[in-house]
Amino acid sequence: MAGNEHEVNRSARSGRFVKESTTERDPQGTVTETVGGDRERGDREVHRSTSTGKFVTETTADLHSSSTETQKL
């Protein structure tokens, strides 16, 4: 990993940051993301529900565009 690039872990249900031990205990309920580094900002998109803040799939974002937001990371 280059520069200040590092991995962070989030709950797939709530979108909140979680400890690495949580990812080991519940790998299907967590998402590991690589952040920082020398990449150009905006080369990856994630979708969230505007009411809960939880991550949603691209299909869900397409079907419910009025209640989801897309973020570029």
Side-chain angles (χ1 to χ4, degrees):
M1 290 189 236
N4 64 348
E5 186 174 281
H6 60 282
E7 292 183 340
V8 295
N9 305 302
R10 291 183 183 262
S11 165
R13 293 173 193 87
S14 68
R16 293 184 179 187
F17 290 102
V18 296
K19 295 179 183 178
E20 189 166 343
S21 60
T22 304
T23 63
E24 293 167 2
R25 198 171 48 252
D26 186 16
Q28 298 208 341
T30 56
V31 176
T32 300
E33 302 174 351
T34 302
V35 298
D38 298 330
R39 294 184 310 180
E40 291 290 324
R41 182 166 171 81
D43 66 349
R44 187 171 72 116
E45 290 185 341
V46 295
H47 311 282
R48 291 182 182 263
S49 164
T50 55
S51 60
T52 66
K54 293 181 182 180
F55 290 105
V56 297
T57 64
E58 184 173 2
T59 302
T60 301
D62 290 341
L63 293 172
H64 304 282
S65 59
S66 64
S67 61
T68 58
E69 64 180 21
T70 300
Q71 297 174 313
K72 292 190 181 269
L73 303 177

